[in-house]
């Protein structure tokens, strides 16, 4: 199938760095997205990777290895407001643009 | 508007009642998607429109679910004879284009939280 796997929960300390991993089936891969979702709110776009390597946007970076079917989202200098669910989503070429989402990783940032 | 809007934000329905959920995508966006999100889970795809054409409805869970986008802008998701298992957040997303690159980035609305009693 097209399962997207990511950890259910993570906890980190304010000011620290946290890495959220995501693995997916490599066949037909055509792009990976990370979204942030605060409770009761819309998912908001964080990053997009389609080629191997690291994409950096301020405190957030996202990495992709297509051969390994692996991505991670790196959050630096954690702030309390970063407490949210982080969703990994993959677009497969066989699909009509729809995204297949992982279950989301709930990140709790503690003081 | 600046973003995707959805209405109503909250809907309580009695089992067996019909409901209609509305989505206003970002102006000019060609593609529109509906997703269903259960509590504690990631969104699951329901259906996809490119302009007014419904190109993929493979995710609709039953024939009680129906979606339309008659003029290629606003979309409505209708659920007939609602059941308790339909309780979820229904998210709408739009993207500028359907093919390739960052133009396919989907921007989500705040969702409609449906509770069926």
């Amino acid at each position: 199938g097209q399962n997207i796997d990511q950890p259910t929960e993570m906890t980190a300390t304010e000011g620290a760095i946290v890495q959220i991993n995501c693995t997916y089936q490599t066949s037909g891969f055509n792009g990976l997205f990370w979204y942030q979702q605060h409770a009761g709110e819309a998912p908001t776009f964080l990053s997009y990777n389609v080629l191997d390597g690291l994409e950096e946007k301020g405190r957030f970076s996202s990495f992709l290895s297509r051969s390994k079917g692996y991505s991670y989202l790196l959050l630096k200098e954690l702030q309390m407001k970063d407490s949210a669910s982080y969703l990994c989503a993959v677009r497969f070429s066989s699909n009509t643009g729809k995204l297949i989402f992982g279950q989301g990783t709930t990140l709790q940032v503690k003081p | 508007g600046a973003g995707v809007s959805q209405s109503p934000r909250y809907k309580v329905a009695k089992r067996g009642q019909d409901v209609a959920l509305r989505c206003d995508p970002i102006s000019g966006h060609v593609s529109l998607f509906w997703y269903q999100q259960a509590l504690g889970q990631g969104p699951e795809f329901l259906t996809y429109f490119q302009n007014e054409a419904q190109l993929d409805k493979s995710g609709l869970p039953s024939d009680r679910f129906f979606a339309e986008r008659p003029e290629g802008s606003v979309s409505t998701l209708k659920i007939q004879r609602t059941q308790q298992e339909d309780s979820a957040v229904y998210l709408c997303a739009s993207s500028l284009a359907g093919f390739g690159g960052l133009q396919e980035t989907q921007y989500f609305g705040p969702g409609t939280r449906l509770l069926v009693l």
Side-chain angles (χ1 to χ4, degrees):
Chain A
Q2 297 174 333
N3 291 335
I4 313 300
D5 293 316
Q6 52 181 129
T8 304
E9 295 180 346
M10 298 184 73
T11 302
T13 304
E14 191 177 15
I17 299 173
V18 70
Q19 177 175 313
I20 303 174
N21 297 325
C22 173
T23 58
Y24 61 89
Q25 175 196 317
T26 58
S27 175
F29 172 83
N30 195 22
L32 186 144
F33 297 80
W34 284 97
Y35 285 85
Q36 179 191 60
Q37 187 177 28
H38 285 98
E41 298 183 11
T44 55
F45 170 72
L46 292 177
S47 68
Y48 169 68
N49 295 73
V50 69
L51 300 176
D52 291 349
L54 189 68
E55 295 282 341
E56 297 186 79
K57 291 173 74 173
R59 294 190 298 115
F60 293 4
S61 303
S62 58
F63 171 82
L64 177 68
S65 169
R66 289 173 296 170
S67 64
K68 295 181 179 178
Y70 169 69
S71 173
Y72 67 72
L73 179 69
L74 193 71
L75 291 76
K76 303 175 186 176
E77 302 169 15
L78 281 173
Q79 302 175 9
M80 298 299 291
K81 68 178 182 179
D82 296 331
S83 293
S85 178
Y86 291 85
L87 300 166
C88 175
V90 176
R91 183 178 188 269
F92 293 94
S93 58
S94 60
N95 297 343
T96 52
K98 68 184 180 187
L99 296 177
I100 308 298
F101 282 85
Q103 67 178 2
T105 299
T106 300
L107 173 66
Q108 184 179 15
V109 180
K110 295 185 173 180
Chain B
V4 179
S5 60
Q6 294 185 245
S7 61
R9 291 294 312 277
Y10 302 92
K11 177 68 179 178
V12 178
K14 293 182 179 178
R15 189 161 53 96
Q17 186 178 355
D18 296 350
V19 298
L21 313 180
R22 177 187 170 104
C23 172
D24 284 84
I26 295 172
S27 179
H29 276 198
V30 168
S31 296
L32 186 146
F33 301 82
W34 283 97
Y35 292 87
Q36 180 190 60
Q37 186 173 26
L39 189 64
Q41 301 296 315
E44 291 193 3
F45 171 78
L46 293 176
T47 188
Y48 162 63
F49 290 86
Q50 184 174 347
N51 295 308
E52 69 278 4
Q54 188 175 20
L55 298 186
D56 187 349
K57 53 182 180 179
S58 62
L60 295 177
S62 77
D63 59 6
R64 296 186 295 104
F65 287 71
F66 172 78
E68 61 183 3
R69 194 187 185 197
E71 298 178 358
S73 55
V74 171
S75 177
T76 303
L77 176 67
K78 298 179 180 178
I79 310 173
Q80 297 177 324
R81 305 181 301 282
T82 52
Q83 303 295 315
Q84 287 185 321
E85 61 263 29
D86 300 334
S87 296
V89 176
Y90 291 85
L91 295 167
C92 175
S94 69
S95 66
L96 183 61
F99 306 98
L102 277 172
Q103 286 190 329
E104 68 180 284
T105 298
Q106 295 180 28
Y107 296 93
F108 284 81
T112 294
R113 189 174 300 271
L114 174 65
L115 176 62
V116 181
L117 302 176

